[in-house]
C-alpha cells in the first residue's frame, strides 16, 4: 500500500518509538502533518568546492575522504576528523572538529567518504571547519564525484554528480524546520525526505486541486527540497493559492446563497428618520448620507441585505446604524443592535436614548445584567414583544431562543470579535432579517475580501467637519515634568484628560491593580482634581457612574484601561496619555486615540514609551505619529503583525493559516475569488466529480444538493 497523507505515524517502520513520541508531543500525528509543515527557512548549500579551492571565511559544501579520526583535548574534549590528503586530487587537507557532539564519534571513521557543509576558518595555517553539518556518502559514488570535480574544475555541481547521489543535508538547498524537542533537525529533515520518497507519484492533494497542471507530489518536493529557489516560490504559491481558494470559496458560496435568499421588502415613510435628522445639531456628512441611501435601497429590495459598514473611528457609523434601524422600525418591524460587550451595549443604548429623546419610539436594552425599556410602552403587556422597537443588547441575549420576534434588521457591531459563524445565525434563520455589519476598526483591503467578500460594502470615508486636529507625540517617560505642565494648561483651559493604564493581558485583576496604582500616582500629581477610574472589573452601574461623571465634566481626569477603547464619546476630552504605548497593538492605539479629537478643540495624544528607534514596538508608534488615517494604519498593522495577529485567526474564519504572507497579495486573492465564482457558476450543486471535495469546505453551512 502506498503512503498517503492521512496515514498515521504509528504505522511507519521508519520511526523509532522515541521519535514517534517526540513527534506526537509536537502535535504531528499524520504523514500530512509532517509534509505540510512549512520549512521555517532554507539554506542554500549548493556551492560545492574541492578542499583545494577553499579560502578562510568561506562557507561551502565539500566532498571529502576521511584519513584519520579521533578524540582530541585542548581546553575541552572534541572529536577531530582529518580529511583530504592522499585521496584528494590536489593533496589538500582539511580538519573537521565537533565540540559537544559525542554522537559524531559513533558515526564517523577512517576510510569514509563524506559531504560536509560549514564555514572554513584558518587556525595556525590549517583550514578547519567547526561543527560542520555532514553526511556519509556511498563509496563508489563519492569517488566518482571527487574525480569529476577534479576533472571539471573547481565548482562541478555535486548534486548532479552521479545517479545514486542522495544528498539531503549538504550540496543542495536545505530546509530548516522549527525545532522539535527530542528530535534533531537533521533527523526531521531526513524523515521528510524519506516520506516524500514513499509517496506515490500520482498523489492528489487533500480536497480540491487548485492547480492540476502542477502535480501535488512535485509541489511537495519543491516545498521541502527545491532544486532552485524559484521552485520553492512556485510551491509556496501553489499552497497559498489552495488556502486562499478555500476561504474565497466559502465566501463565494455564502454570497451566492445570500443573493438567492429573499428578505422582506421594507417600505418606509421616512417619518422617524426625518425627525431624527432634524433634531440633530449637525448635518450628516455626504459619506454618511450615501451609506444611509445604500442601506435604504437594500432594505427596499426583495433580496436580503448583507452589508458591511466600514469607517474610521469617529466617522459616525453608529449614527448611520441608528438611521438604518429607524427605517426598519418605520416599516413595522423590530431592529436590533448587537454589541460585543455589555459596556458597549449600554453605551449605544444611552446614546440612542439621548438621540431619540422626545420621539415616539420604543427602545429596549437587553444584557445579562440589565433589561430596560424606554419610550412608548404598549398598554397591553401581551402585545409587548410584537410591537416595533429598537433593541440594543449583547450577542448572547439576542439569538436563538431570545431572538426577538418580527426582526427585520440586525446590526452587528464589531463583527470581527464574533466571527463569521455567529453572523450566520442571524443571516440564515427565521424571517431572513436584513443584516448590517459594522466594524469598529478599518481593516486592510485584502482582509475585507477574505473575510467579508460575501458582503456588500459601504464605506464612510470622511470625518465630520467639526473635528478638531489631533497631534500625536512620542515621549520618553523621563520627560514627565513637561508633560505635567502641559496637562495643567489644558485643565486650566477647561479641557479633560484620559490616562490609559499599562496594558496587562490575561488578568483583569492585575489590570485593575495597574489602573489603581496609576490612579494613586496621578492623585499625587494633581491633588486638587477629582480623578475617575474605569476598568473592566467594575459593575455596569459603577461604570455608568464613572462615565456619566466624566461626560458631565464633573471629573476632569479619567484613568482607564482599554475599556475606553471603543465607543466612549466625550468631545471635551482633548488629551490622552498612553502608558507603555509600545505594548499595545497598532489598531488598538488608533482606537484609543479615537476617543479624543471628537470636539472642535485641538487634541493631543501622548504616547509614553522608552522604546528606542529600531527597537520592536517603536515602529508602530512612529506610524501613529505619522498618520490619522485608520485604513492606512490598518495596512501597516497588517504588514507589521500579519493577519493572524491582527484578527486572531481562530475567530476570524480564516482557519489555520499557514501561508499568511500571501494574504497580503491582492492578485492571489482575486485569482482565488475568480476561480471560486467560476466553479459555482458552472456547477452550483457541486456535482462534478472534481468538485465533490469542495462540499467538505462548505459542509458546516451547506444545504447543497437538497434544492437550489
Ligand atoms: P463611530 O461609531 O464611527 O466611531 P460615532 O457614530 O460614535 O462614530 O460618532 C462619533 C461622534 O460624532 C458622535 O458624538 C456623533 O454624534 C458625532 N457625529 C456623527 N455624525 C456626525 C456628523 N455628521 N457631524 C458631526 N458630528 C457627528
Ligand atoms: Mg461608535
Amino acid at each position: 500500500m502506498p503512503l498517503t497523507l492521512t496515514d498515521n505515524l504509528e504505522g511507519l517502520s521508519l520511526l523509532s518509538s522515541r521519535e514517534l513520541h517526540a513527534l506526537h508531543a509536537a502535535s504531528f500525528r499524520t504523514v500530512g502533518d509532517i509534509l505540510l509543515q512549512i520549512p521555517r527557512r532554507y539554506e542554500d548549500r549548493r556551492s560545492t568546492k574541492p578542499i583545494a579551492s577553499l579560502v578562510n571565511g568561506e562557507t561551502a559544501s565539500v566532498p571529502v575522504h576521511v584519513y584519520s579520526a579521533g578524540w582530541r583535548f585542548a581546553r575541552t574534549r572534541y572529536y577531530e576528523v582529518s580529511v583530504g590528503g592522499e585521496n584528494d586530487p590536489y593533496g589538500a587537507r582539511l580538519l573537521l572538529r565537533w565540540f559537544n557532539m559525542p554522537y559524531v564519534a559513533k558515526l564517523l571513521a577512517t576510510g569514509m567518504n563524506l559531504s560536509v557543509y560549514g564555514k572554513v576558518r584558518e587556525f595556525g595555517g590549517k583550514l578547519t571547519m567547526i561543527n560542520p553539518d555532514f553526511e556519509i556518502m556511498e563509496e563508489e559514488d563519492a569517488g566518482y564525484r571527487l574525480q569529476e570535480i577534479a576533472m571539471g574544475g573547481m565548482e562541478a555541481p555535486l548534486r548532479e554528480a552521479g545517479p545514486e547521489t542522495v544528498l539531503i543535508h549538504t550540496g543542495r538547498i536545505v530546509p530548516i524546520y522549527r525545532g522539535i524537542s527530542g528530535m534533531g533537525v537533521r533527523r526531521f529533515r531526513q524523515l521528510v525526505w524519506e516520506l516524500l520518497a514513499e509517496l506515490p507519484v500520482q498523489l492528489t492533494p487533500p480536497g480540491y486541486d487548485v492547480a492540476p497542471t502542477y502535480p501535488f507530489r512535485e509541489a511537495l518536493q519543491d516545498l521541502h527540497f527545491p532544486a532552485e529557489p524559484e521552485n520553492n516560490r512556485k510551491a509556496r504559491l501553489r499552497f497559498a493559492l489552495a488556502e486562499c481558494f478555500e476561504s474565497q470559496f466559502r465566501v463565494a458560496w455564502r454570497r451566492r446563497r445570500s443573493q438567492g435568499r429573499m428578505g422582506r421588502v421594507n417600505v418606509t415613510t421616512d417619518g422617524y428618520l426625518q425627525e431624527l435628522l432634524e433634531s440633530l445639531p449637525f448635518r450628516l456628512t455626504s459619506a454618511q448620507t450615501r451609506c444611509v441611501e445604500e442601506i435604504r435601497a437594500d432594505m427596499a429590495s426583495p433580496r436580503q441585505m448583507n452589508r458591511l459598514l466600514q469607517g474610521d473611528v469617529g466617522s459616525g457609523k453608529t449614527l448611520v446604524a441608528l438611521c438604518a434601524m429607524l427605517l426598519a422600525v418605520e416599516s413595522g418591524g423590530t431592529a436590533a443592535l448587537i454589541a460585543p460587550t455589555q459596556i458597549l451595549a449600554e453605551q449605544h443604548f444611552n446614546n440612542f436614548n439621548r438621540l431619540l429623546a422626545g420621539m415616539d419610539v420604543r427602545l429596549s436594552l437587553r444584557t445579562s445584567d440589565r433589561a430596560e425599556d424606554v419610550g412608548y410602552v404598549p398598554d397591553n403587556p401581551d402585545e409587548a414583544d410584537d410591537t416595533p422597537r429598537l433593541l440594543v443588547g449583547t450577542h448572547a441575549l439576542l439569538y436563538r431562543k431570545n431572538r426577538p420576534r418580527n426582526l427585520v434588521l440586525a446590526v452587528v457591531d464589531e463583527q470581527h470579535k464574533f466571527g463569521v459563524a455567529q453572523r450566520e445565525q442571524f443571516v440564515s434563520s427565521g424571517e431572513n432579517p436584513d443584516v448590517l455589519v459594522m466594524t469598529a476598526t478599518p481593516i486592510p483591503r485584502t482582509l475585507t475580501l477574505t473575510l467579508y467578500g460575501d458582503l456588500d460594502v459601504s464605506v464612510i470615508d470622511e470625518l465630520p467637519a467639526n473635528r478638531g486636529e489631533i497631534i500625536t507625540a512620542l515621549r520618553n517617560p523621563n520627560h514627565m515634568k513637561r508633560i505635567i505642565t502641559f496637562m495643567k494648561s489644558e485643565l486650566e483651559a477647561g479641557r479633560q484628560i484620559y490616562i490609559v493604564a499599562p496594558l496587562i493581558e490575561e488578568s483583569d485583576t492585575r489590570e485593575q491593580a495597574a489602573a489603581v496604582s496609576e490612579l494613586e500616582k496621578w492623585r499625587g500629581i494633581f491633588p486638587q482634581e477629582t480623578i475617575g477610574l474605569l476598568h473592566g472589573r467594575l459593575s455596569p452601574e459603577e461604570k455608568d457612574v464613572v462615565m456619566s461623571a466624566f461626560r458631565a465634566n464633573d471629573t476632569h481626569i479619567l484613568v482607564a484601561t482599554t475599556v475606553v477603547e471603543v465607543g466612549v464619546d466625550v468631545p471635551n476630552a482633548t488629551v490622552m496619555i498612553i502608558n507603555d504605548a509600545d505594548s499595545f497593538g497598532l489598531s488598538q492605539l488608533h482606537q484609543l486615540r479615537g476617543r479624543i479629537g471628537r470636539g472642535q478643540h485641538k487634541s493631543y495624544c501622548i504616547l509614553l514609551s522608552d522604546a528606542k528607534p529600531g527597537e520592536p514596538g517603536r515602529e508602530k508608534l512612529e506610524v501613529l505619529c505619522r498618520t490619522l488615517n485608520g485604513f492606512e494604519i490598518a495596512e501597516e498593522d497588517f504588514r507589521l503583525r500579519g493577519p493572524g495577529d491582527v484578527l486572531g485567526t481562530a475567530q476570524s474564519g480564516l482557519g489555520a493559516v499557514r501561508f499568511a504572507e500571501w494574504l497580503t497579495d491582492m492578485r492571489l486573492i482575486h485569482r482565488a475569488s475568480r476561480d471560486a465564482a467560476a466553479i459555482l457558476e458552472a456547477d452550483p450543486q457541486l456535482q462534478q466529480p472534481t468538485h465533490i471535495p469542495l462540499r467538505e469546505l462548505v459542509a458546516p453551512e451547506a444545504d447543497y444538493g437538497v434544492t437550489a
Side-chain angles (χ1 to χ4, degrees):
M1 276 261 290
L3 199 63
T4 69
L5 293 181
T6 49
D7 286 353
N8 281 324
L9 296 178
E10 272 97 342
L12 299 179
S13 56
L14 33 95
L15 285 171
S16 74
S17 65
R18 211 170 37 84
E19 288 169 337
L20 188 62
H21 193 74
L23 289 167
H24 279 174
S27 314
F28 293 97
R29 299 254 143 218
T30 64
V31 171
D33 291 343
I34 294 192
L35 292 183
L36 295 172
Q37 154 96 346
I38 306 161
R40 206 153 47 82
R41 62 187 177 86
Y42 301 84
E43 214 163 84
D44 191 342
R45 300 181 176 178
R46 284 177 298 171
S47 165
T48 299
K49 302 277 181 77
I51 302 171
S53 83
L54 295 175
V55 295
N56 188 17
E58 183 172 32
T59 301
S61 292
V62 188
V64 297
H65 180 83
V66 178
Y67 67 83
S68 86
W71 287 102
R72 302 276 185 282
F73 193 87
R75 233 162 298 156
T76 160
R77 218 161 83 100
Y78 61 90
Y79 196 70
E80 185 175 271
V81 169
S82 307
V83 298
E86 280 169 21
N87 284 68
D88 186 272
Y90 301 90
R93 285 161 209 274
L94 175 67
L95 291 177
L96 312 173
R97 288 174 177 166
W98 284 275
F99 293 84
N100 299 318
M101 295 168 80
Y103 70 91
V104 173
K106 297 204 188 84
L107 297 175
L108 300 186
T110 304
M112 283 181 168
N113 288 309
L114 310 177
S115 172
V116 300
Y117 171 85
K119 184 169 179 174
V120 181
R121 289 193 282 172
E122 215 177 295
F123 292 118
K126 292 181 177 167
L127 291 178
T128 309
M129 275 187 190
I130 308 293
N131 294 350
D133 211 342
F134 68 93
E135 57 199 307
I136 299 160
M137 303 191 291
E138 291 310 314
E139 191 141 0
E140 315 99 277
D141 182 30
Y144 174 93
R145 241 169 307 155
L146 290 174
Q147 278 173 32
E148 193 185 65
I149 286 170
M151 294 182 307
M154 294 300 196
E155 290 195 43
L158 188 63
R159 115 196 98 72
E160 288 160 19
E164 281 144 59
T165 313
V166 179
L167 287 176
I168 303 176
H169 309 291
T170 62
R172 59 158 46 252
I173 297 175
V174 169
I176 315 280
Y177 302 92
R178 81 180 154 90
I180 294 169
S181 92
M183 191 170 205
V185 58
R186 285 167 53 89
R187 177 60 186 127
F188 188 82
R189 188 183 295 139
Q190 190 193 351
L191 177 63
V192 171
W193 178 275
E194 286 166 1
L195 291 176
L196 281 172
E198 288 195 26
L199 287 178
V201 180
Q202 300 297 355
L203 183 74
T204 51
Y208 177 72
D209 194 350
V210 286
T213 54
Y214 180 14
F216 185 61
R217 167 80 175 66
E218 191 182 323
L220 276 177
Q221 184 78 33
D222 287 345
L223 180 68
H224 294 282
F225 294 98
E228 302 288 335
E230 190 39 46
N231 296 6
N232 170 246
R233 228 191 90 80
K234 208 173 114 200
R236 292 174 83 88
L237 184 64
R238 188 201 202 280
F239 289 104
L241 179 64
E243 246 176 45
C244 283
F245 178 82
E246 280 192 16
S247 74
Q248 288 306 309
F249 187 79
R250 285 201 197 90
V251 159
W253 173 270
R254 244 182 254 131
R255 183 172 185 88
R256 206 180 157 81
R257 203 179 30 166
S258 74
Q259 281 177 342
R261 196 156 38 210
M262 288 309 170
R264 99 183 216 176
V265 177
N266 295 305
V267 187
T268 72
T269 54
D270 257 25
Y272 286 138
L273 182 58
Q274 283 316 321
E275 208 179 326
L276 172 71
L277 295 182
E278 277 158 28
S279 74
L280 291 176
F282 50 77
R283 299 167 70 96
L284 293 189
T285 62
S286 55
Q288 281 172 312
T289 305
R290 175 172 39 75
C291 291
V292 172
E293 288 316 311
E294 284 165 358
I295 292 166
R296 183 209 301 275
D298 277 1
M299 289 175 68
S301 115
R303 267 186 43 209
Q304 182 187 29
M305 169 167 86
N306 270 297
R307 187 169 282 278
L308 176 70
L309 180 61
Q310 268 204 295
D312 211 343
V313 235
S315 61
K317 290 183 293 293
T318 316
L319 188 58
V320 169
L322 178 60
C323 293
M325 290 172 82
L326 287 176
L327 288 173
V329 174
E330 272 163 21
S331 78
T334 289
L337 173 71
I338 297 107
T341 65
Q342 196 152 306
I343 192 170
L344 280 174
E346 298 196 14
Q347 206 151 269
H348 283 309
F349 174 72
N350 295 338
N351 213 349
F352 286 2
N353 198 9
R354 256 198 321 277
L355 288 164
L356 301 175
M359 279 169 67
D360 189 19
V361 233
R362 184 167 164 226
L363 173 66
S364 307
L365 175 70
R366 294 286 178 273
T367 73
S368 51
D369 286 358
R370 242 169 98 187
E372 206 172 313
D373 300 83
V374 293
Y376 163 81
V377 179
D379 303 330
N380 174 3
D382 291 342
E383 199 192 318
D385 266 330
D386 283 332
T387 40
R389 58 172 168 169
L390 302 178
L391 198 59
V392 179
T394 44
H395 183 257
L397 286 157
L398 290 178
Y399 83 109
R400 296 235 175 103
K401 67 178 174 27
N402 294 312
R403 192 188 163 90
R405 267 186 281 172
N406 201 16
L407 185 67
V408 298
L409 172 68
V411 180
V412 186
D413 188 13
E414 288 195 274
Q415 165 67 25
H416 71 246
K417 294 208 171 137
F418 295 138
V420 176
Q422 278 115 321
R423 189 211 309 159
E424 281 293 304
Q425 287 167 337
F426 287 97
V427 171
S428 58
S429 52
E431 54 287 83
N432 289 350
D434 286 328
V435 175
L436 181 67
V437 174
M438 287 201 287
T439 58
T441 348
I443 50 177
R445 248 163 33 100
T446 53
L447 279 191
T448 308
L449 267 178
T450 308
L451 297 177
Y452 301 116
D454 56 331
L455 304 182
D456 298 312
V457 181
S458 289
V459 182
I460 312 183
D461 47 9
E462 169 187 12
L463 290 179
N466 62 349
R467 290 296 146 79
E469 194 186 344
I470 302 183
I471 311 269
T472 305
L474 180 51
R475 292 288 178 265
N476 192 297
N478 295 337
H479 298 156
M480 227 34 225
K481 247 196 173 139
R482 285 172 56 185
I483 295 171
I484 291 167
T485 311
F486 170 71
M487 291 167 77
K488 273 194 183 126
S489 70
E490 282 290 298
L491 288 169
E492 275 158 22
R495 302 286 86 76
Q496 288 164 277
I497 297 176
Y498 291 106
I499 295 169
V500 181
L503 179 69
I504 294 167
E505 310 231 51
E506 282 114 39
S507 163
D508 279 358
T509 323
R510 287 184 47 219
E511 185 158 83
Q512 176 188 13
V516 169
S517 82
E518 194 65 25
L519 174 73
E520 297 306 325
K521 180 176 117 196
W522 290 98
R523 276 196 177 137
I525 296 170
F526 293 111
Q528 71 286 9
E529 301 282 350
T530 46
I531 305 180
L533 177 66
L534 188 72
H535 56 73
R537 283 179 66 88
L538 296 181
S539 73
E541 290 76 25
E542 290 168 320
K543 281 178 193 155
D544 225 25
V545 170
V546 174
M547 278 321 299
S548 306
F550 192 61
R551 199 174 283 118
N553 202 358
D554 293 336
T555 45
H556 302 142
I557 299 177
L558 181 65
V559 171
T561 61
T562 48
V563 292
V564 288
E565 187 183 321
V566 255
V568 173
D569 187 20
V570 181
N572 191 48
T574 55
V575 180
M576 175 172 279
I577 314 275
I578 304 179
N579 284 284
D580 290 349
D582 50 288
S583 64
F584 294 85
L586 183 46
S587 294
Q588 200 172 21
L589 288 166
H590 178 65
Q591 286 292 322
L592 284 167
R593 180 171 62 177
R595 301 306 105 215
I596 56 171
R598 298 175 82 89
Q600 74 273 31
H601 304 289
K602 193 164 172 177
S603 292
Y604 305 87
C605 179
I606 299 174
L607 307 169
L608 294 179
S609 165
D610 43 23
K612 301 194 178 41
E615 274 179 17
R618 170 81 179 209
E619 192 177 349
K620 64 185 167 198
L621 302 183
E622 286 165 355
V623 170
L624 216 63
C625 292
R626 191 171 70 227
T627 179
L628 289 167
N629 181 322
F631 287 94
E632 205 177 316
I633 286 169
E635 298 289 346
E636 284 291 326
D637 199 20
F638 193 56
R639 185 179 64 78
L640 291 171
R641 293 196 301 157
D645 285 332
V646 170
L647 290 181
T649 39
Q651 294 190 345
S652 63
L654 282 178
V657 175
R658 293 151 170 275
F659 293 87
E661 73 220 84
W662 292 96
L663 278 183
T664 56
D665 189 335
M666 210 63 186
R667 283 164 309 179
L668 193 68
I669 292 172
H670 279 309
R671 178 171 160 202
S673 164
R674 269 197 315 273
D675 290 356
I679 289 174
L680 284 172
E681 187 61 46
D683 181 16
Q685 309 295 329
L686 303 177
Q687 280 163 341
Q688 289 176 28
T690 52
H691 294 159
I692 301 254
L694 289 170
R695 296 179 165 201
E696 283 278 298
L697 280 181
V698 291
E701 19 184 296
D703 43 18
Y704 54 81
V706 181
T707 47

